Amino acid sequence: MRPGSRTFAALWGFAEATLFFIVPDVLLSGLALKSLKKALRAALIAALTATLGGLLVWSCAGAFPEASRAVLLHVPGVSDRTFAAVRQLLENGLLEGMLRGAFAGVPYKIFAAEAGYAGVGFWHFALVSPLARLPRFIVVCLVVRGLSHLVGQRLSDGAKLRLCLGLWTLFYGVYFSQVGW
């Protein structure tokens, strides 16, 4: 993997954990079209830097709960319903709630904020976060790589990338129509 891809994965993971609203899965799927190994390395980097971003949100939410919530409510796809959904998911525990949320399209940054509000310990949140983020990243990489192999030579690399980006555009169109912008 080129250092540029690692850096981009790190920045994207951190950004999406804080205020950016497009998941690193978009980058990871593009990388997986060419190399599963590179995509999985980027997934690990994105999960670790997302944890750093999540710890920033956790810290801000713990220290400035009202201001943090107000800022997060300006992020596309985040609403009062999102916060309520996260509180409900966390009733079964931090790891289980975050794993379920990761596969249900619930923004990680809201889990970080709710953990900060609830006083979840720093190390507990820091250790659970990558364990909750990484599985979905890995699944996305494996699925995209598998589909890329299925299409094989029928599509050029450029056509595969355009198709992948088109599917992500469709996904986000449907997602934001459901959760709101």
Side-chain angles (χ1 to χ4, degrees):
M1 180 165 46
R2 297 184 325 247
S5 297
R6 280 180 256 154
T7 301
F8 201 37
L11 292 172
W12 201 323
F14 183 87
E16 191 268 334
T18 55
L19 298 174
F20 191 51
F21 50 91
I22 304 294
V23 293
D25 309 51
V26 175
L27 170 67
L28 300 175
S29 59
L31 293 172
L33 291 171
K34 287 239 177 206
S35 168
L36 181 59
K37 185 177 177 180
K38 289 177 183 180
L40 292 174
R41 282 187 192 149
L44 178 60
I45 290 167
L48 293 174
T49 57
T51 298
L52 294 176
L55 287 167
L56 176 63
V57 172
W58 172 91
S59 177
C60 291
F64 310 102
E66 291 176 21
S68 298
R69 183 179 172 85
V71 168
L72 290 170
L73 284 169
H74 284 89
V75 175
V78 175
S79 66
D80 288 324
R81 287 189 327 243
T82 313
F83 280 93
V86 167
R87 282 191 298 278
Q88 186 175 18
L89 285 165
L90 290 175
E91 288 176 3
N92 295 320
L94 186 64
L95 179 59
E96 183 179 337
M98 288 175 70
L99 276 170
R100 286 178 182 237
F103 285 94
V106 181
Y108 166 72
K109 61 185 74 45
I110 307 308
F111 284 97
E114 286 294 331
Y117 301 146
V120 170
F122 175 90
W123 290 110
H124 185 197
F125 185 74
L127 293 173
V128 167
S129 284
L131 297 175
R133 296 293 284 161
L134 194 55
R136 189 191 74 219
F137 292 169
I138 290 172
V139 167
V140 166
C141 292
L142 292 172
V143 167
V144 169
R145 188 65 184 162
L147 290 174
S148 180
H149 276 301
L150 277 177
V151 219
Q153 300 297 321
R154 289 179 284 235
L155 293 176
S156 68
D157 288 347
K160 288 179 191 177
L161 183 59
R162 285 189 297 279
L163 177 61
C164 184
L165 293 175
L167 289 172
W168 276 113
T169 302
L170 177 64
F171 168 83
Y172 272 107
V174 170
Y175 179 78
F176 286 124
S177 73
Q178 303 252 327
V179 301
W181 180 257

